[in-house]
PDB file of all heavy atoms in Angstrom:
ATOM      1  N   PRO N   1     113.517 107.696  97.304  1.00  0.00           N
ATOM      2  CA  PRO N   1     113.733 107.675  98.722  1.00  0.00           C
ATOM      3  C   PRO N   1     115.255 107.493  99.140  1.00  0.00           C
ATOM      4  O   PRO N   1     115.699 108.095 100.113  1.00  0.00           O
ATOM      5  CB  PRO N   1     112.901 106.474  99.177  1.00  0.00           C
ATOM      6  CG  PRO N   1     111.801 106.417  98.161  1.00  0.00           C
ATOM      7  CD  PRO N   1     112.428 106.817  96.875  1.00  0.00           C
ATOM      8  N   GLU N   2     115.942 106.643  98.422  1.00  0.00           N
ATOM      9  CA  GLU N   2     117.319 106.324  98.811  1.00  0.00           C
ATOM     10  C   GLU N   2     118.246 107.544  98.608  1.00  0.00           C
ATOM     11  O   GLU N   2     119.360 107.545  99.109  1.00  0.00           O
ATOM     12  CB  GLU N   2     117.792 105.136  98.033  1.00  0.00           C
ATOM     13  CG  GLU N   2     117.751 105.281  96.505  1.00  0.00           C
ATOM     14  CD  GLU N   2     116.446 104.726  95.950  1.00  0.00           C
ATOM     15  OE1 GLU N   2     115.476 104.619  96.688  1.00  0.00           O
ATOM     16  OE2 GLU N   2     116.432 104.360  94.720  1.00  0.00           O
ATOM     17  N   ARG N   3     117.790 108.596  97.928  1.00  0.00           N
ATOM     18  CA  ARG N   3     118.621 109.762  97.621  1.00  0.00           C
ATOM     19  C   ARG N   3     118.168 110.975  98.541  1.00  0.00           C
ATOM     20  O   ARG N   3     118.845 111.987  98.563  1.00  0.00           O
ATOM     21  CB  ARG N   3     118.467 110.202  96.166  1.00  0.00           C
ATOM     22  CG  ARG N   3     119.039 109.176  95.255  1.00  0.00           C
ATOM     23  CD  ARG N   3     120.558 109.285  95.216  1.00  0.00           C
ATOM     24  NE  ARG N   3     121.060 110.519  94.794  1.00  0.00           N
ATOM     25  CZ  ARG N   3     122.298 110.966  95.076  1.00  0.00           C
ATOM     26  NH1 ARG N   3     123.073 110.300  95.836  1.00  0.00           N
ATOM     27  NH2 ARG N   3     122.726 112.222  94.587  1.00  0.00           N
ATOM     28  N   LEU N   4     117.117 110.790  99.319  1.00  0.00           N
ATOM     29  CA  LEU N   4     116.603 111.874 100.118  1.00  0.00           C
ATOM     30  C   LEU N   4     117.669 112.307 101.188  1.00  0.00           C
ATOM     31  O   LEU N   4     117.847 113.535 101.403  1.00  0.00           O
ATOM     32  CB  LEU N   4     115.291 111.571 100.793  1.00  0.00           C
ATOM     33  CG  LEU N   4     114.082 111.516  99.912  1.00  0.00           C
ATOM     34  CD1 LEU N   4     112.808 111.098 100.711  1.00  0.00           C
ATOM     35  CD2 LEU N   4     113.815 112.891  99.330  1.00  0.00           C
ATOM     36  N   ALA N   5     118.343 111.392 101.832  1.00  0.00           N
ATOM     37  CA  ALA N   5     119.298 111.740 102.851  1.00  0.00           C
ATOM     38  C   ALA N   5     120.406 112.604 102.317  1.00  0.00           C
ATOM     39  O   ALA N   5     120.872 113.495 102.926  1.00  0.00           O
ATOM     40  CB  ALA N   5     119.823 110.447 103.492  1.00  0.00           C
ATOM     41  N   ALA N   6     120.882 112.294 101.075  1.00  0.00           N
ATOM     42  CA  ALA N   6     121.969 113.057 100.461  1.00  0.00           C
ATOM     43  C   ALA N   6     121.560 114.490 100.108  1.00  0.00           C
ATOM     44  O   ALA N   6     122.306 115.437 100.166  1.00  0.00           O
ATOM     45  CB  ALA N   6     122.502 112.338  99.249  1.00  0.00           C
ATOM     46  N   PHE N   7     120.224 114.685  99.792  1.00  0.00           N
ATOM     47  CA  PHE N   7     119.715 115.931  99.389  1.00  0.00           C
ATOM     48  C   PHE N   7     119.182 116.781 100.556  1.00  0.00           C
ATOM     49  O   PHE N   7     118.963 117.986 100.421  1.00  0.00           O
ATOM     50  CB  PHE N   7     118.526 115.772  98.421  1.00  0.00           C
ATOM     51  CG  PHE N   7     118.982 115.679  96.977  1.00  0.00           C
ATOM     52  CD1 PHE N   7     119.505 114.469  96.489  1.00  0.00           C
ATOM     53  CD2 PHE N   7     118.876 116.745  96.112  1.00  0.00           C
ATOM     54  CE1 PHE N   7     119.902 114.424  95.147  1.00  0.00           C
ATOM     55  CE2 PHE N   7     119.286 116.698  94.783  1.00  0.00           C
ATOM     56  CZ  PHE N   7     119.770 115.526  94.293  1.00  0.00           C
ATOM     57  N   ALA N   8     119.017 116.147 101.730  1.00  0.00           N
ATOM     58  CA  ALA N   8     118.254 116.778 102.820  1.00  0.00           C
ATOM     59  C   ALA N   8     118.793 118.172 103.209  1.00  0.00           C
ATOM     60  O   ALA N   8     118.036 119.137 103.360  1.00  0.00           O
ATOM     61  CB  ALA N   8     118.257 115.801 104.054  1.00  0.00           C
ATOM     62  N   ALA N   9     120.078 118.294 103.477  1.00  0.00           N
ATOM     63  CA  ALA N   9     120.604 119.478 103.959  1.00  0.00           C
ATOM     64  C   ALA N   9     120.431 120.689 103.079  1.00  0.00           C
ATOM     65  O   ALA N   9     120.444 121.825 103.536  1.00  0.00           O
ATOM     66  CB  ALA N   9     122.137 119.313 104.329  1.00  0.00           C
ATOM     67  N   GLY N  10     120.310 120.442 101.796  1.00  0.00           N
ATOM     68  CA  GLY N  10     120.220 121.552 100.814  1.00  0.00           C
ATOM     69  C   GLY N  10     118.807 121.629 100.190  1.00  0.00           C
ATOM     70  O   GLY N  10     118.659 122.245  99.103  1.00  0.00           O
ATOM     71  N   SER N  11     117.740 121.121 100.849  1.00  0.00           N
ATOM     72  CA  SER N  11     116.451 121.023 100.147  1.00  0.00           C
ATOM     73  C   SER N  11     115.381 121.544 101.064  1.00  0.00           C
ATOM     74  O   SER N  11     115.419 121.509 102.388  1.00  0.00           O
ATOM     75  CB  SER N  11     116.123 119.599  99.785  1.00  0.00           C
ATOM     76  OG  SER N  11     117.062 119.115  98.838  1.00  0.00           O
ATOM     77  N   VAL N  12     114.298 121.986 100.471  1.00  0.00           N
ATOM     78  CA  VAL N  12     112.971 122.248 101.077  1.00  0.00           C
ATOM     79  C   VAL N  12     112.023 121.241 100.388  1.00  0.00           C
ATOM     80  O   VAL N  12     111.951 121.155  99.194  1.00  0.00           O
ATOM     81  CB  VAL N  12     112.533 123.682 100.837  1.00  0.00           C
ATOM     82  CG1 VAL N  12     111.074 123.938 101.354  1.00  0.00           C
ATOM     83  CG2 VAL N  12     113.488 124.676 101.495  1.00  0.00           C
ATOM     84  N   MET N  13     111.230 120.583 101.234  1.00  0.00           N
ATOM     85  CA  MET N  13     110.313 119.533 100.717  1.00  0.00           C
ATOM     86  C   MET N  13     108.899 119.794 101.053  1.00  0.00           C
ATOM     87  O   MET N  13     108.616 119.977 102.214  1.00  0.00           O
ATOM     88  CB  MET N  13     110.816 118.142 101.270  1.00  0.00           C
ATOM     89  CG  MET N  13     110.099 116.945 100.627  1.00  0.00           C
ATOM     90  SD  MET N  13     110.771 115.409 101.329  1.00  0.00           S
ATOM     91  CE  MET N  13     110.070 114.282 100.124  1.00  0.00           C
ATOM     92  N   LEU N  14     108.055 119.772 100.042  1.00  0.00           N
ATOM     93  CA  LEU N  14     106.643 119.891 100.323  1.00  0.00           C
ATOM     94  C   LEU N  14     106.181 118.557 101.022  1.00  0.00           C
ATOM     95  O   LEU N  14     106.492 117.528 100.592  1.00  0.00           O
ATOM     96  CB  LEU N  14     105.859 120.079  99.010  1.00  0.00           C
ATOM     97  CG  LEU N  14     104.544 120.862  99.140  1.00  0.00           C
ATOM     98  CD1 LEU N  14     104.752 122.296  99.638  1.00  0.00           C
ATOM     99  CD2 LEU N  14     103.843 120.941  97.784  1.00  0.00           C
ATOM    100  N   PHE N  15     105.423 118.737 102.141  1.00  0.00           N
ATOM    101  CA  PHE N  15     105.188 117.663 103.027  1.00  0.00           C
ATOM    102  C   PHE N  15     103.678 117.345 103.150  1.00  0.00           C
ATOM    103  O   PHE N  15     102.864 118.309 103.114  1.00  0.00           O
ATOM    104  CB  PHE N  15     105.703 118.024 104.411  1.00  0.00           C
ATOM    105  CG  PHE N  15     105.328 117.092 105.513  1.00  0.00           C
ATOM    106  CD1 PHE N  15     106.014 115.878 105.743  1.00  0.00           C
ATOM    107  CD2 PHE N  15     104.289 117.383 106.369  1.00  0.00           C
ATOM    108  CE1 PHE N  15     105.699 115.025 106.754  1.00  0.00           C
ATOM    109  CE2 PHE N  15     103.930 116.536 107.404  1.00  0.00           C
ATOM    110  CZ  PHE N  15     104.574 115.335 107.643  1.00  0.00           C
ATOM    111  N   ARG N  16     103.296 116.068 103.295  1.00  0.00           N
ATOM    112  CA  ARG N  16     102.037 115.593 103.631  1.00  0.00           C
ATOM    113  C   ARG N  16     102.127 114.656 104.794  1.00  0.00           C
ATOM    114  O   ARG N  16     103.095 113.846 104.915  1.00  0.00           O
ATOM    115  CB  ARG N  16     101.331 114.841 102.438  1.00  0.00           C
ATOM    116  CG  ARG N  16     101.494 115.488 101.137  1.00  0.00           C
ATOM    117  CD  ARG N  16     100.534 116.579 100.861  1.00  0.00           C
ATOM    118  NE  ARG N  16     100.888 117.327  99.644  1.00  0.00           N
ATOM    119  CZ  ARG N  16     100.809 118.625  99.526  1.00  0.00           C
ATOM    120  NH1 ARG N  16     100.432 119.326 100.558  1.00  0.00           N
ATOM    121  NH2 ARG N  16     101.231 119.198  98.374  1.00  0.00           N
ATOM    122  N   PRO N  17     101.179 114.619 105.786  1.00  0.00           N
ATOM    123  CA  PRO N  17     101.303 113.703 106.838  1.00  0.00           C
ATOM    124  C   PRO N  17     101.421 112.276 106.466  1.00  0.00           C
ATOM    125  O   PRO N  17     102.020 111.435 107.157  1.00  0.00           O
ATOM    126  CB  PRO N  17      99.960 114.000 107.625  1.00  0.00           C
ATOM    127  CG  PRO N  17      99.678 115.378 107.403  1.00  0.00           C
ATOM    128  CD  PRO N  17     100.065 115.601 105.968  1.00  0.00           C
ATOM    129  N   GLY N  18     100.882 111.894 105.266  1.00  0.00           N
ATOM    130  CA  GLY N  18     100.977 110.524 104.837  1.00  0.00           C
ATOM    131  C   GLY N  18     102.421 110.112 104.492  1.00  0.00           C
ATOM    132  O   GLY N  18     102.694 108.925 104.260  1.00  0.00           O
ATOM    133  N   MET N  19     103.323 111.039 104.499  1.00  0.00           N
ATOM    134  CA  MET N  19     104.734 110.770 104.157  1.00  0.00           C
ATOM    135  C   MET N  19     105.575 110.476 105.411  1.00  0.00           C
ATOM    136  O   MET N  19     106.798 110.205 105.288  1.00  0.00           O
ATOM    137  CB  MET N  19     105.318 111.981 103.420  1.00  0.00           C
ATOM    138  CG  MET N  19     104.671 112.253 102.061  1.00  0.00           C
ATOM    139  SD  MET N  19     104.992 113.887 101.431  1.00  0.00           S
ATOM    140  CE  MET N  19     106.819 113.982 101.350  1.00  0.00           C
ATOM    141  N   MET N  20     105.014 110.545 106.585  1.00  0.00           N
ATOM    142  CA  MET N  20     105.855 110.480 107.832  1.00  0.00           C
ATOM    143  C   MET N  20     106.624 109.267 107.917  1.00  0.00           C
ATOM    144  O   MET N  20     107.823 109.299 108.132  1.00  0.00           O
ATOM    145  CB  MET N  20     104.883 110.574 109.040  1.00  0.00           C
ATOM    146  CG  MET N  20     104.183 111.904 109.254  1.00  0.00           C
ATOM    147  SD  MET N  20     103.218 112.123 110.790  1.00  0.00           S
ATOM    148  CE  MET N  20     101.975 110.871 110.523  1.00  0.00           C
ATOM    149  N   GLN N  21     106.058 108.108 107.709  1.00  0.00           N
ATOM    150  CA  GLN N  21     106.763 106.826 107.849  1.00  0.00           C
ATOM    151  C   GLN N  21     107.869 106.655 106.841  1.00  0.00           C
ATOM    152  O   GLN N  21     109.063 106.299 107.239  1.00  0.00           O
ATOM    153  CB  GLN N  21     105.781 105.648 107.781  1.00  0.00           C
ATOM    154  CG  GLN N  21     106.511 104.254 107.984  1.00  0.00           C
ATOM    155  CD  GLN N  21     105.541 103.090 107.946  1.00  0.00           C
ATOM    156  OE1 GLN N  21     104.303 103.265 107.992  1.00  0.00           O
ATOM    157  NE2 GLN N  21     106.048 101.865 107.775  1.00  0.00           N
ATOM    158  N   GLU N  22     107.581 106.996 105.624  1.00  0.00           N
ATOM    159  CA  GLU N  22     108.636 106.782 104.557  1.00  0.00           C
ATOM    160  C   GLU N  22     109.806 107.748 104.705  1.00  0.00           C
ATOM    161  O   GLU N  22     110.940 107.404 104.402  1.00  0.00           O
ATOM    162  CB  GLU N  22     107.982 106.834 103.144  1.00  0.00           C
ATOM    163  CG  GLU N  22     107.339 108.172 102.822  1.00  0.00           C
ATOM    164  CD  GLU N  22     106.400 108.027 101.571  1.00  0.00           C
ATOM    165  OE1 GLU N  22     106.971 108.076 100.466  1.00  0.00           O
ATOM    166  OE2 GLU N  22     105.207 107.901 101.757  1.00  0.00           O
ATOM    167  N   LEU N  23     109.561 108.997 105.212  1.00  0.00           N
ATOM    168  CA  LEU N  23     110.641 109.939 105.409  1.00  0.00           C
ATOM    169  C   LEU N  23     111.481 109.469 106.563  1.00  0.00           C
ATOM    170  O   LEU N  23     112.699 109.565 106.505  1.00  0.00           O
ATOM    171  CB  LEU N  23     110.070 111.338 105.708  1.00  0.00           C
ATOM    172  CG  LEU N  23     109.406 112.027 104.520  1.00  0.00           C
ATOM    173  CD1 LEU N  23     108.950 113.446 104.946  1.00  0.00           C
ATOM    174  CD2 LEU N  23     110.337 112.084 103.307  1.00  0.00           C
ATOM    175  N   GLU N  24     110.868 108.882 107.572  1.00  0.00           N
ATOM    176  CA  GLU N  24     111.611 108.344 108.695  1.00  0.00           C
ATOM    177  C   GLU N  24     112.520 107.164 108.242  1.00  0.00           C
ATOM    178  O   GLU N  24     113.634 107.030 108.552  1.00  0.00           O
ATOM    179  CB  GLU N  24     110.643 107.884 109.758  1.00  0.00           C
ATOM    180  CG  GLU N  24     111.351 107.576 111.139  1.00  0.00           C
ATOM    181  CD  GLU N  24     110.380 107.344 112.233  1.00  0.00           C
ATOM    182  OE1 GLU N  24     109.183 107.665 112.099  1.00  0.00           O
ATOM    183  OE2 GLU N  24     110.808 106.927 113.362  1.00  0.00           O
ATOM    184  N   GLU N  25     111.895 106.313 107.390  1.00  0.00           N
ATOM    185  CA  GLU N  25     112.648 105.171 106.880  1.00  0.00           C
ATOM    186  C   GLU N  25     113.797 105.611 105.997  1.00  0.00           C
ATOM    187  O   GLU N  25     114.855 104.967 105.897  1.00  0.00           O
ATOM    188  CB  GLU N  25     111.728 104.255 106.085  1.00  0.00           C
ATOM    189  CG  GLU N  25     110.661 103.535 106.917  1.00  0.00           C
ATOM    190  CD  GLU N  25     109.637 102.818 106.096  1.00  0.00           C
ATOM    191  OE1 GLU N  25     109.700 102.951 104.838  1.00  0.00           O
ATOM    192  OE2 GLU N  25     108.773 102.120 106.649  1.00  0.00           O
ATOM    193  N   ALA N  26     113.631 106.781 105.311  1.00  0.00           N
ATOM    194  CA  ALA N  26     114.716 107.241 104.410  1.00  0.00           C
ATOM    195  C   ALA N  26     115.877 107.868 105.218  1.00  0.00           C
ATOM    196  O   ALA N  26     116.883 108.267 104.546  1.00  0.00           O
ATOM    197  CB  ALA N  26     114.107 108.333 103.419  1.00  0.00           C
ATOM    198  N   GLN N  27     115.775 108.011 106.531  1.00  0.00           N
ATOM    199  CA  GLN N  27     116.765 108.562 107.390  1.00  0.00           C
ATOM    200  C   GLN N  27     117.257 109.936 106.921  1.00  0.00           C
ATOM    201  O   GLN N  27     118.433 110.157 106.830  1.00  0.00           O
ATOM    202  CB  GLN N  27     117.929 107.495 107.463  1.00  0.00           C
ATOM    203  CG  GLN N  27     117.528 106.196 108.088  1.00  0.00           C
ATOM    204  CD  GLN N  27     118.650 105.226 108.193  1.00  0.00           C
ATOM    205  OE1 GLN N  27     119.719 105.426 107.617  1.00  0.00           O
ATOM    206  NE2 GLN N  27     118.467 104.175 109.025  1.00  0.00           N
ATOM    207  N   CYS N  28     116.230 110.811 106.581  1.00  0.00           N
ATOM    208  CA  CYS N  28     116.628 112.129 106.066  1.00  0.00           C
ATOM    209  C   CYS N  28     116.191 113.222 107.014  1.00  0.00           C
ATOM    210  O   CYS N  28     116.213 114.429 106.571  1.00  0.00           O
ATOM    211  CB  CYS N  28     115.954 112.294 104.694  1.00  0.00           C
ATOM    212  SG  CYS N  28     114.169 112.202 104.718  1.00  0.00           S
ATOM    213  N   LEU N  29     115.865 112.893 108.237  1.00  0.00           N
ATOM    214  CA  LEU N  29     115.233 113.830 109.130  1.00  0.00           C
ATOM    215  C   LEU N  29     116.141 114.337 110.216  1.00  0.00           C
ATOM    216  O   LEU N  29     115.739 115.083 111.133  1.00  0.00           O
ATOM    217  CB  LEU N  29     113.967 113.217 109.732  1.00  0.00           C
ATOM    218  CG  LEU N  29     112.872 112.896 108.717  1.00  0.00           C
ATOM    219  CD1 LEU N  29     111.752 112.184 109.438  1.00  0.00           C
ATOM    220  CD2 LEU N  29     112.366 114.131 108.028  1.00  0.00           C
ATOM    221  N   GLU N  30     117.478 114.070 110.165  1.00  0.00           N
ATOM    222  CA  GLU N  30     118.393 114.547 111.129  1.00  0.00           C
ATOM    223  C   GLU N  30     118.449 116.124 111.021  1.00  0.00           C
ATOM    224  O   GLU N  30     118.784 116.651 109.975  1.00  0.00           O
ATOM    225  CB  GLU N  30     119.804 113.956 110.947  1.00  0.00           C
ATOM    226  CG  GLU N  30     120.856 114.393 111.904  1.00  0.00           C
ATOM    227  CD  GLU N  30     120.611 113.841 113.280  1.00  0.00           C
ATOM    228  OE1 GLU N  30     120.044 112.717 113.360  1.00  0.00           O
ATOM    229  OE2 GLU N  30     121.007 114.545 114.281  1.00  0.00           O
ATOM    230  N   GLY N  31     118.110 116.802 112.076  1.00  0.00           N
ATOM    231  CA  GLY N  31     118.162 118.260 112.021  1.00  0.00           C
ATOM    232  C   GLY N  31     117.075 118.907 111.253  1.00  0.00           C
ATOM    233  O   GLY N  31     117.046 120.096 110.931  1.00  0.00           O
ATOM    234  N   ALA N  32     115.982 118.119 111.043  1.00  0.00           N
ATOM    235  CA  ALA N  32     114.885 118.679 110.171  1.00  0.00           C
ATOM    236  C   ALA N  32     114.028 119.730 110.917  1.00  0.00           C
ATOM    237  O   ALA N  32     113.990 119.725 112.189  1.00  0.00           O
ATOM    238  CB  ALA N  32     113.951 117.514 109.744  1.00  0.00           C
ATOM    239  N   GLN N  33     113.428 120.556 110.184  1.00  0.00           N
ATOM    240  CA  GLN N  33     112.462 121.573 110.685  1.00  0.00           C
ATOM    241  C   GLN N  33     111.225 121.553 109.837  1.00  0.00           C
ATOM    242  O   GLN N  33     111.294 121.314 108.617  1.00  0.00           O
ATOM    243  CB  GLN N  33     113.128 122.936 110.513  1.00  0.00           C
ATOM    244  CG  GLN N  33     112.212 124.131 110.669  1.00  0.00           C
ATOM    245  CD  GLN N  33     112.115 124.651 112.056  1.00  0.00           C
ATOM    246  OE1 GLN N  33     113.022 124.651 112.812  1.00  0.00           O
ATOM    247  NE2 GLN N  33     110.954 125.163 112.419  1.00  0.00           N
ATOM    248  N   LEU N  34     110.097 121.743 110.487  1.00  0.00           N
ATOM    249  CA  LEU N  34     108.811 121.771 109.720  1.00  0.00           C
ATOM    250  C   LEU N  34     108.166 123.182 109.779  1.00  0.00           C
ATOM    251  O   LEU N  34     108.102 123.756 110.799  1.00  0.00           O
ATOM    252  CB  LEU N  34     107.751 120.702 110.264  1.00  0.00           C
ATOM    253  CG  LEU N  34     106.543 120.618 109.411  1.00  0.00           C
ATOM    254  CD1 LEU N  34     106.146 119.159 109.128  1.00  0.00           C
ATOM    255  CD2 LEU N  34     105.318 121.318 110.031  1.00  0.00           C
ATOM    256  N   ILE N  35     107.799 123.638 108.642  1.00  0.00           N
ATOM    257  CA  ILE N  35     107.044 124.861 108.506  1.00  0.00           C
ATOM    258  C   ILE N  35     105.590 124.518 108.164  1.00  0.00           C
ATOM    259  O   ILE N  35     105.304 123.876 107.124  1.00  0.00           O
ATOM    260  CB  ILE N  35     107.601 125.777 107.392  1.00  0.00           C
ATOM    261  CG1 ILE N  35     109.012 126.224 107.749  1.00  0.00           C
ATOM    262  CG2 ILE N  35     106.706 127.004 107.219  1.00  0.00           C
ATOM    263  CD1 ILE N  35     109.694 127.010 106.621  1.00  0.00           C
ATOM    264  N   TYR N  36     104.696 124.982 109.057  1.00  0.00           N
ATOM    265  CA  TYR N  36     103.210 124.730 108.769  1.00  0.00           C
ATOM    266  C   TYR N  36     102.705 125.964 108.192  1.00  0.00           C
ATOM    267  O   TYR N  36     102.777 127.129 108.694  1.00  0.00           O
ATOM    268  CB  TYR N  36     102.533 124.425 110.154  1.00  0.00           C
ATOM    269  CG  TYR N  36     101.109 124.104 109.912  1.00  0.00           C
ATOM    270  CD1 TYR N  36     100.654 122.838 109.563  1.00  0.00           C
ATOM    271  CD2 TYR N  36     100.072 125.110 110.122  1.00  0.00           C
ATOM    272  CE1 TYR N  36      99.303 122.538 109.417  1.00  0.00           C
ATOM    273  CE2 TYR N  36      98.741 124.773 109.988  1.00  0.00           C
ATOM    274  CZ  TYR N  36      98.333 123.539 109.565  1.00  0.00           C
ATOM    275  OH  TYR N  36      97.039 123.238 109.388  1.00  0.00           O
ATOM    276  N   SER N  37     102.019 125.803 106.977  1.00  0.00           N
ATOM    277  CA  SER N  37     101.613 126.953 106.261  1.00  0.00           C
ATOM    278  C   SER N  37     100.188 126.845 105.698  1.00  0.00           C
ATOM    279  O   SER N  37      99.857 126.981 104.542  1.00  0.00           O
ATOM    280  CB  SER N  37     102.554 127.153 105.043  1.00  0.00           C
ATOM    281  OG  SER N  37     102.390 128.421 104.477  1.00  0.00           O
ATOM    282  N   MET N  38      99.276 126.549 106.662  1.00  0.00           N
ATOM    283  CA  MET N  38      97.829 126.508 106.482  1.00  0.00           C
ATOM    284  C   MET N  38      97.137 127.022 107.701  1.00  0.00           C
ATOM    285  O   MET N  38      97.800 127.387 108.673  1.00  0.00           O
ATOM    286  CB  MET N  38      97.415 125.095 106.173  1.00  0.00           C
ATOM    287  CG  MET N  38      97.965 124.501 104.855  1.00  0.00           C
ATOM    288  SD  MET N  38      97.179 122.961 104.275  1.00  0.00           S
ATOM    289  CE  MET N  38      97.569 121.892 105.634  1.00  0.00           C
ATOM    290  N   TRP N  39      95.853 126.987 107.665  1.00  0.00           N
ATOM    291  CA  TRP N  39      95.050 127.426 108.870  1.00  0.00           C
ATOM    292  C   TRP N  39      95.400 126.565 110.064  1.00  0.00           C
ATOM    293  O   TRP N  39      95.324 125.347 109.972  1.00  0.00           O
ATOM    294  CB  TRP N  39      93.570 127.351 108.539  1.00  0.00           C
ATOM    295  CG  TRP N  39      92.655 127.812 109.611  1.00  0.00           C
ATOM    296  CD1 TRP N  39      92.624 128.902 110.332  1.00  0.00           C
ATOM    297  CD2 TRP N  39      91.590 126.962 110.181  1.00  0.00           C
ATOM    298  NE1 TRP N  39      91.707 128.903 111.346  1.00  0.00           N
ATOM    299  CE2 TRP N  39      91.016 127.736 111.229  1.00  0.00           C
ATOM    300  CE3 TRP N  39      91.034 125.719 109.940  1.00  0.00           C
ATOM    301  CZ2 TRP N  39      89.930 127.260 112.013  1.00  0.00           C
ATOM    302  CZ3 TRP N  39      89.969 125.247 110.710  1.00  0.00           C
ATOM    303  CH2 TRP N  39      89.436 126.050 111.730  1.00  0.00           C
ATOM    304  N   THR N  40      95.704 127.185 111.177  1.00  0.00           N
ATOM    305  CA  THR N  40      96.130 126.432 112.306  1.00  0.00           C
ATOM    306  C   THR N  40      95.053 125.636 112.971  1.00  0.00           C
ATOM    307  O   THR N  40      95.370 124.674 113.701  1.00  0.00           O
ATOM    308  CB  THR N  40      96.813 127.369 113.347  1.00  0.00           C
ATOM    309  OG1 THR N  40      95.837 128.428 113.719  1.00  0.00           O
ATOM    310  CG2 THR N  40      98.077 128.003 112.812  1.00  0.00           C
ATOM    311  N   GLY N  41      93.813 125.943 112.680  1.00  0.00           N
ATOM    312  CA  GLY N  41      92.729 125.158 113.253  1.00  0.00           C
ATOM    313  C   GLY N  41      92.730 123.699 112.875  1.00  0.00           C
ATOM    314  O   GLY N  41      92.308 122.849 113.687  1.00  0.00           O
ATOM    315  N   TYR N  42      93.330 123.379 111.713  1.00  0.00           N
ATOM    316  CA  TYR N  42      93.444 121.960 111.301  1.00  0.00           C
ATOM    317  C   TYR N  42      94.302 121.148 112.318  1.00  0.00           C
ATOM    318  O   TYR N  42      94.069 119.946 112.495  1.00  0.00           O
ATOM    319  CB  TYR N  42      94.056 121.899 109.921  1.00  0.00           C
ATOM    320  CG  TYR N  42      93.232 122.449 108.801  1.00  0.00           C
ATOM    321  CD1 TYR N  42      93.777 123.250 107.824  1.00  0.00           C
ATOM    322  CD2 TYR N  42      91.809 122.241 108.767  1.00  0.00           C
ATOM    323  CE1 TYR N  42      93.040 123.811 106.781  1.00  0.00           C
ATOM    324  CE2 TYR N  42      91.053 122.782 107.672  1.00  0.00           C
ATOM    325  CZ  TYR N  42      91.703 123.572 106.711  1.00  0.00           C
ATOM    326  OH  TYR N  42      90.947 124.117 105.734  1.00  0.00           O
TER     327      TYR N  42
END
């Protein structure tokens, strides 16, 4: 987690909703974008 901020600008990260709080705590979400790639009904 402590390295996520340094990697953020050059990375694509597979995401789960259970990761929301820890990513926020890692302060790696400045300028972040989310791509949703499943059935939109969910």
Side-chain angles (χ1 to χ4, degrees):
E2 57 269 22
R3 294 286 295 159
L4 286 178
F7 272 79
S11 297
V12 174
M13 186 176 195
L14 209 62
F15 170 82
R16 317 277 170 223
M19 298 162 56
M20 292 185 297
Q21 182 178 344
E22 60 197 279
L23 293 181
E24 193 171 349
E25 292 172 354
Q27 299 182 345
C28 61
L29 298 175
E30 182 70 29
Q33 166 89 34
L34 187 133
I35 297 174
Y36 183 83
S37 195
M38 296 192 297
W39 180 55
T40 55
Y42 295 135

